[in-house]
Amino acid sequence: MKTRFIWLFGLLAVFMTMTGFVQPNIEDHAHILNKETKTLIKEKNNRYLQTKEQPQITVITVKKLKDLTPKSLNRSKRTVFIVVGQKGKKRDVQIFSSKDLHGAFTADARSNILRAEVDQLRSYNNATFNKGLRFVFRACATKVDQQYQYALDKFDLSQSEQNKISHPHRVALPIALALAFLIMGIIYMLRRFGHHSSNLRK
C-alpha cells in the first residue's frame, strides 16, 4: 500500500511538472515575469533536461533590493540564478552561478551581460523590462551552452548580440567618437566666432 502511494505521488508530481503547475526554474514572488519570459525559461530548461549534464537557469523575483543571493546557491551544481529584486519602482538584476560555472560567469562576464541592455532593465514599463530580462536569460544560456559545448539554438544570442557582451567598449566607441567630433566642431565654431568678433572690433 505504501509503495503504491509513493508511486502515485511520483506520477502526480511528474504530471504537474509537465503540465506547468510546477515550474522549478521560476520563482516569481514579485509577479514581474510575463508569459513570454516564463515560456522562454521553461522551454530552454526543458532542453537542458535532455542533456547529460542537465544544467539549469533559474529566474527568481523577490520583493526586496538587498540580500539577493539565492539560499540554495552554495549547494547547487551546474546552475545559474538570475535574481530580480524589486521595491516600489526600483529594480535590481543580479546574476549568480554555482561554483562549477564560475569560469564562465566571471564578474566581468556578468557585468557585461547586465550592461548590454541596461536601458531596458531600468525601464518602468514591465513589457520593456521583460524584454531586457529575456536578453539576460538568453545571454546566460549562451554562456552555459558554450561551457558544455552544446550546439547553439534559437534561444541563444545571435553573433551580433554576443558581440555586445564580448566587446562592450566597441559598441560604445562609435558614440564616443561622434561626441568627440561634435565637441571639436563646437570648439572650432566658438573660436572662429570669437576671432571674427575681435576683427570687427578693430
Side-chain angles (χ1 to χ4, degrees):
M1 184 69 180
K2 185 177 180 181
T3 303
R4 182 180 296 179
F5 176 77
I6 294 173
W7 185 74
L8 288 173
F9 182 79
L11 281 178
L12 180 62
V14 171
F15 172 77
M16 292 179 69
T17 301
M18 295 298 291
T19 54
F21 287 103
V22 177
Q23 296 178 332
N25 305 108
I26 299 174
E27 297 181 27
D28 191 16
H29 303 294
H31 308 293
I32 294 172
L33 309 180
N34 62 20
K35 184 178 180 181
E36 189 174 354
T37 302
K38 289 180 179 179
T39 299
L40 171 65
I41 298 167
K42 181 180 178 181
E43 290 186 359
K44 183 60 176 178
N45 280 297
N46 283 345
R47 289 202 176 197
Y48 284 146
L49 290 175
Q50 300 171 22
T51 66
K52 178 183 178 182
E53 295 82 5
Q54 294 189 341
Q56 293 288 281
I57 304 175
T58 297
V59 179
I60 304 171
T61 71
V62 292
K63 297 179 180 179
K64 60 180 181 179
L65 293 174
K66 296 181 180 180
D67 302 322
L68 299 183
T69 304
K71 294 180 180 179
S72 60
L73 178 62
N74 290 333
R75 62 177 183 271
S76 297
K77 293 182 179 180
R78 299 179 294 278
T79 304
V80 178
F81 295 91
I82 301 171
V83 183
V84 182
Q86 176 175 281
K87 189 173 183 180
K89 290 186 176 181
K90 292 184 179 180
R91 286 174 177 166
D92 184 26
V93 182
Q94 294 186 19
I95 300 171
F96 302 88
S97 70
S98 53
K99 291 181 179 179
D100 48 4
L101 287 173
H102 280 182
F105 291 90
T106 62
D108 285 342
R110 298 195 307 271
S111 178
N112 289 344
I113 289 173
L114 295 174
R115 280 205 307 258
E117 293 295 347
V118 66
D119 289 339
Q120 293 181 352
L121 295 177
R122 287 176 177 173
S123 176
Y124 294 132
N125 181 281
N126 202 55
T128 303
F129 177 82
N130 268 268
K131 184 178 180 181
L133 190 61
R134 288 194 297 274
F135 179 91
V136 172
F137 180 91
R138 291 171 56 233
C140 290
T142 303
K143 288 283 186 184
V144 170
D145 290 355
Q146 291 171 340
Q147 176 72 13
Y148 293 110
Q149 299 181 344
Y150 298 153
L152 300 185
D153 55 34
K154 64 180 181 180
F155 302 112
D156 293 301
L157 297 182
S158 65
Q159 188 58 55
S160 61
E161 288 174 322
Q162 291 183 52
N163 289 339
K164 292 172 67 175
I165 295 173
S166 301
H167 310 289
H169 299 298
R170 291 185 186 178
V171 176
L173 186 59
I175 299 175
L177 288 174
L179 287 173
F181 279 118
L182 179 62
I183 292 171
M184 289 173 63
I186 292 173
I187 293 173
Y188 173 77
M189 292 299 295
L190 288 174
R191 285 182 176 178
R192 187 174 180 181
F193 179 77
H195 180 71
H196 180 69
S197 298
S198 62
N199 287 338
L200 289 176
R201 289 173 185 173
K202 292 179 181 179

